[in-house]
Amino acid sequence: MAKSKRVAGSAISTTPDKVKLTGLQAQRLAQLTGTEASKIEGRDIAELSEALKWQIDPINFLFQRVCGQVVRWDPASGLYQPVPFATVHVMDTDCDFLGYFPEGVKLGWLYPIFCHEEQIAEVVTDECGKFCVWVPRFDIDWVVRWRLERYCFPEVLVRPNLGDLLQQAGVLPTPIPGPDPGPIELRNAGLSLDRLAAITGRETASRLLLAEQAATLGGNRSVLQGLLDQPAYQTRVPPPTSPKLAELQQHLQKHGVKGLRDFVRGATGRDYKFDPNRYIGPFPLWKCEWILTEELVPILEVPDITFWVTQDTDGDGAQETIYSDGWFQIGWQSGPLSDVILHAAPNARINGNCQVPPVGDCTQPEILFAGLMPVTSAYLDTSAGPTRGYAVRPNPPHADGVVRASVFPPAVTPDTPANAPFMGTVQLYGCNQFKGGSYYRLLYSFNGAPAVPFTNLDWYVDPWPGPGAPLHVVPDAQGWYPILATPDAWFPQNELLDWPTSAFPDGLYDVTLQIGDAGKNPIFTTPAAVPFRLDNSAPKPLITSLAWRVLPFGTWHVFPNLICPIVERPTGSDIEFSVTYQVSAEHLLKTSLIDSGCGGGTMLPSPEPSSLPYMHWHTSSADNFVSQTATFTLPGSALPGCYGFSLNGYSRAFNPAGGDPSDPQAHDWYIDAAWLNWSQYNVSVAVVNV
């Protein structure tokens, strides 16, 4: 590993203008203003702004606010979740790199061979993983000027995101100056799932197409934009080998540090080291006309402002590193800066819900909320009938079967009530304070069986408002948890249970709260159970048959199977596809059948897809199976290539942790909740001209 000197300060509790300048900052401000570094190092901006008033440009005494969020990918939810109460260290860095630009590859990598870092700011993320920090303007200007003075560096030294990758592949249009061109319509561009999946992976491709569909229908575009802003490469992309790289390694084996210093023409006294397994990148070379004359290029004394993030991940009081090596995470510029998203390592502790419900003053032990939704009869079916345990407001049926925004009360309509089951991790909130009580536990009756306690479910809570060491909430073998003396002094406040419902069988759970004394003897049990109907099962979409014919009256050709189907189309002829499919789900929300192309033409549903057979919203709680045949027309002008059909099935199960992303308690839970559980079935067909 390259030698790196990282100087981390203690938590900064003073105002930014009272923070003393580090050695690197003093050098940079000195070179920008012509002052002597020795006279300003160790002094703060407030002091310097007075001492150097009218001697240097006052813009050097200003600060810029940089905001962002620390997140971590959560495989369980399939979403990026916030990392709460982590410490973001803002580091001033000065590094020597060995640039590696393999011939014939439109990507480049950097090997750090020496780095010096000094902390210039520090901040703790909030419960949603968000942070803002003040950075001296001159520090940013130094980085910006350094890059602008070097050919192509402003374009190259930027970590690409998924949107950049799709633009390079021709999937998304390249941004142009001027007003916002409007929503990007992936599917309407004739993009096939297979082509997109070849770039992003099938799961990400499916999420992009679904998010784009939601945005096109007038939904929130933040989900689509969030997907496009994620890193282009989720895992490390190692650079290729080359003879030049092999020669360098042989040279270093013979000559050691001096050989590397001589090779890069580096500064005397720097302890250089080359590690082929430690690299940064890849960086895109397609944004600039990059003329390569050498594969290995020394890039010395590179300034940057980077991030290093730590968190107490296990409650032991010590901070562990969850994000590092964040070089070139921000495309620093002189104007406004976009929020930075820092993607933490898998060891980071996440918070599946950064909002908590208003529990209020507790008068007796009771379960009050599931996520942000109250569990009273106005929101939850508490009857003794077959609909017990369903939420009655989210994802209601549409009597007309049309995929559209739901119509909600106050007017009673055929679209109410809903029968929405729960899924995912459900946080239960409420009151557990009781005279003589020292412990509490929750018990459940599954499908009417005798009640048993929840066991082996643990989670972390953090001091509120913090900072401080997290508390690991762990039950004993009988499911007893200690009652916290001040449950609202921890975040999430008043949480009774962090319930990963996907680890439990689907069905009806009647949950009660029990209080125990110091000897864990039950002294109180809630008189009425709160019912929850769970369904984490995936819908089952299936294309059962595919046929085609030449229009207008050709004979239908039915494929005997869907293995590599090929259509031999008479050149210039319009053809028609017939797609027979079925979708089933325990609790069906909706279905959709969409076509895709290869970019050289577009299939057209016939007739227009306002409802069945192309899309369908469940009409009642019993509407959980759809079987239809749909037709699509491919004009003869469309180029030969790969076309396809994607069949989507969505469950009406929902999670109350966040409600509607744009309004967490939208319409008092009369909402069409974003789909969380869906499946997709795809068939591709090759069209060739004969």
Side-chain angles (χ1 to χ4, degrees):
M1 179 180 290
K3 183 171 183 180
S4 175
K5 182 181 180 183
R6 171 172 282 165
V7 180
S10 58
I12 297 173
S13 57
T14 185
T15 58
D17 62 339
K18 292 293 186 179
V19 178
K20 298 183 183 302
L21 296 188
T22 67
L24 278 178
Q25 287 182 302
Q27 293 175 29
R28 291 174 181 177
L29 183 58
Q31 293 184 59
L32 285 170
T33 61
T35 56
E36 294 184 35
S38 60
K39 293 184 177 180
I40 58 178
E41 182 176 353
R43 302 171 72 181
D44 59 53
I45 293 293
E47 180 185 356
L48 291 174
S49 64
E50 186 62 33
L52 300 178
K53 182 184 292 186
W54 315 123
Q55 297 182 41
I56 65 177
D57 194 329
I59 196 173
N60 293 295
F61 304 133
L62 300 180
F63 290 80
Q64 182 151 350
R65 193 168 186 247
V66 179
C67 294
Q69 186 180 29
V70 183
V71 299
R72 196 208 79 190
W73 178 256
D74 178 25
S77 65
L79 300 170
Y80 283 102
Q81 300 287 10
V83 176
F85 309 110
T87 303
V88 179
H89 310 263
V90 185
M91 310 298 293
D92 213 341
T93 69
D94 177 35
C95 293
D96 289 351
F97 295 104
L98 182 60
Y100 179 43
F101 307 101
E103 185 176 355
V105 180
K106 283 288 187 178
L107 296 170
W109 286 261
L110 298 179
Y111 290 101
I113 55 178
F114 179 87
C115 279
H116 178 75
E117 300 176 276
E118 295 175 352
Q119 180 171 296
I120 58 175
E122 181 180 304
V123 67
V124 177
T125 63
D126 66 11
E127 65 275 15
C128 294
K130 295 182 178 180
F131 66 91
C132 287
V133 67
W134 293 96
V135 177
R137 183 65 248 180
F138 74 82
D139 245 326
I140 297 175
D141 286 344
W142 179 258
V143 175
V144 172
R145 290 190 187 190
W146 188 93
R147 295 185 186 182
L148 289 175
E149 289 172 354
R150 286 154 178 82
Y151 179 66
C152 270
F153 276 10
E155 295 80 16
V156 172
L157 295 183
V158 177
R159 300 270 185 124
N161 59 31
L162 186 56
D164 296 329
L165 192 63
L166 294 177
Q167 286 173 2
Q168 191 274 335
V171 172
L172 294 182
T174 302
I176 58 175
D180 185 350
I184 298 170
E185 297 188 357
L186 295 169
R187 189 172 67 84
N188 290 345
L191 178 69
S192 71
L193 176 74
D194 289 338
R195 183 185 175 200
L196 188 59
I199 303 169
T200 68
R202 184 162 292 273
E203 182 176 347
T204 299
S206 298
R207 290 187 178 276
L208 280 168
L209 290 174
L210 290 171
E212 188 274 336
Q213 183 186 41
T216 303
L217 291 173
N220 195 324
R221 277 183 49 83
S222 61
V223 175
L224 175 59
Q225 193 58 54
L227 287 169
L228 294 176
D229 288 342
Q230 67 181 322
Y233 308 102
Q234 296 294 331
T235 57
R236 282 164 51 94
V237 179
T241 59
S242 74
K244 289 284 187 182
L245 201 59
E247 289 176 12
L248 173 64
Q249 290 179 271
Q250 293 174 1
H251 176 76
L252 298 182
Q253 288 176 356
K254 293 181 180 179
H255 301 283
V257 173
K258 184 180 183 304
L260 182 56
R261 183 184 298 114
D262 293 342
F263 181 82
V264 302
R265 298 180 293 280
T268 302
R270 292 198 165 186
D271 187 8
Y272 289 105
K273 187 174 182 180
F274 175 76
D275 182 353
N277 294 314
R278 189 173 187 227
Y279 48 82
I280 309 166
F283 294 95
L285 302 186
W286 57 73
K287 292 186 177 182
C288 181
E289 185 181 351
W290 190 265
I291 302 173
L292 294 175
T293 58
E294 295 288 341
E295 280 192 352
L296 297 172
V297 181
I299 306 175
L300 306 180
E301 298 182 11
V302 181
D304 197 14
I305 301 169
T306 64
F307 299 93
W308 165 41
V309 185
T310 59
Q311 183 193 41
D312 185 352
T313 61
D314 52 13
D316 64 353
Q319 296 269 315
E320 288 79 34
T321 295
I322 60 171
Y323 178 88
S324 62
D325 296 348
W327 291 289
F328 315 111
Q329 189 67 52
I330 294 183
W332 297 105
Q333 57 188 22
S334 297
L337 295 171
S338 300
D339 286 358
V340 58
I341 304 297
L342 305 180
H343 294 84
N347 66 319
R349 184 167 48 82
I350 59 176
N351 186 1
N353 179 25
C354 63
Q355 298 167 310
V356 294
V359 169
D361 296 330
C362 291
T363 58
Q364 64 178 1
E366 57 184 330
I367 302 169
L368 293 172
F369 289 88
L372 301 182
M373 192 184 77
V375 293
T376 62
S377 59
Y379 302 87
L380 192 63
D381 191 330
T382 57
S383 69
T387 57
R388 179 176 173 81
Y390 288 108
V392 297
R393 299 190 180 191
N395 291 340
H398 294 169
D400 55 11
V402 175
V403 177
R404 54 169 173 76
S406 297
V407 179
F408 297 109
V412 178
T413 74
D415 292 355
T416 56
N419 294 112
F422 295 81
M423 68 157 295
T425 299
V426 177
Q427 291 85 19
L428 300 184
Y429 298 93
C431 302
N432 59 10
Q433 303 293 304
F434 190 73
K435 185 177 180 180
S438 298
Y439 296 89
Y440 79 95
R441 65 180 178 180
L442 289 100
L443 301 96
Y444 66 89
S445 169
F446 176 59
N447 290 338
V452 295
F454 287 97
T455 57
N456 299 317
L457 299 183
D458 64 297
W459 64 96
Y460 285 89
V461 292
D462 290 271
W464 180 256
L471 175 66
H472 194 188
V473 182
V474 182
D476 68 6
Q478 286 73 45
W480 290 107
Y481 296 93
I483 295 176
L484 300 178
T486 51
D488 58 353
W490 299 87
F491 189 89
Q493 296 104 330
N494 300 291
E495 184 175 11
L496 300 174
L497 189 69
D498 204 64
W499 184 12
T501 68
S502 59
F504 291 73
D506 293 335
L508 175 63
Y509 289 76
D510 286 288
V511 181
T512 54
L513 171 63
Q514 192 171 77
I515 305 298
D517 60 18
K520 300 179 182 178
N521 301 301
I523 58 175
F524 177 86
T525 302
T526 50
V530 179
F532 298 96
R533 183 82 58 166
L534 305 186
D535 180 17
N536 286 281
S537 64
K540 301 177 180 62
L542 178 66
I543 293 177
T544 57
S545 176
L546 178 64
W548 72 279
R549 68 173 180 172
V550 177
L551 291 176
F553 305 113
T555 302
W556 282 107
H557 302 278
V558 180
F559 292 103
N561 56 57
L562 299 181
I563 301 174
C564 300
I566 299 176
V567 171
E568 295 182 340
R569 175 184 65 175
T571 301
S573 297
D574 296 343
I575 62 174
E576 186 178 39
F577 288 96
S578 175
V579 184
T580 302
Y581 69 89
Q582 66 183 45
V583 181
S584 63
E586 290 295 322
H587 298 91
L588 182 67
L589 175 68
K590 65 176 182 176
T591 68
S592 68
L593 176 65
I594 59 176
D595 60 278
S596 60
C598 56
T602 303
M603 280 191 287
L604 302 174
S606 179
E608 286 298 314
S610 59
S611 58
L612 279 174
Y614 302 97
M615 58 185 68
H616 174 68
W617 191 285
H618 73 289
T619 58
S620 69
S621 61
D623 185 8
N624 296 308
F625 186 94
V626 174
S627 179
Q628 290 289 327
T629 297
T631 54
F632 297 82
T633 299
L634 182 66
S637 59
L639 295 178
C642 182
Y643 294 83
F645 306 93
S646 297
L647 176 63
N648 301 306
Y650 306 84
S651 168
R652 64 178 178 270
F654 82 112
N655 186 284
D660 185 324
S662 61
D663 185 357
Q665 291 178 282
H667 311 297
D668 199 18
W669 291 96
Y670 288 114
I671 61 172
D672 290 332
W675 53 81
L676 296 173
N677 195 345
W678 56 274
S679 297
Q680 188 173 72
Y681 189 95
N682 303 283
V683 168
S684 296
V685 57
V687 176
V688 298
N689 288 338
V690 295

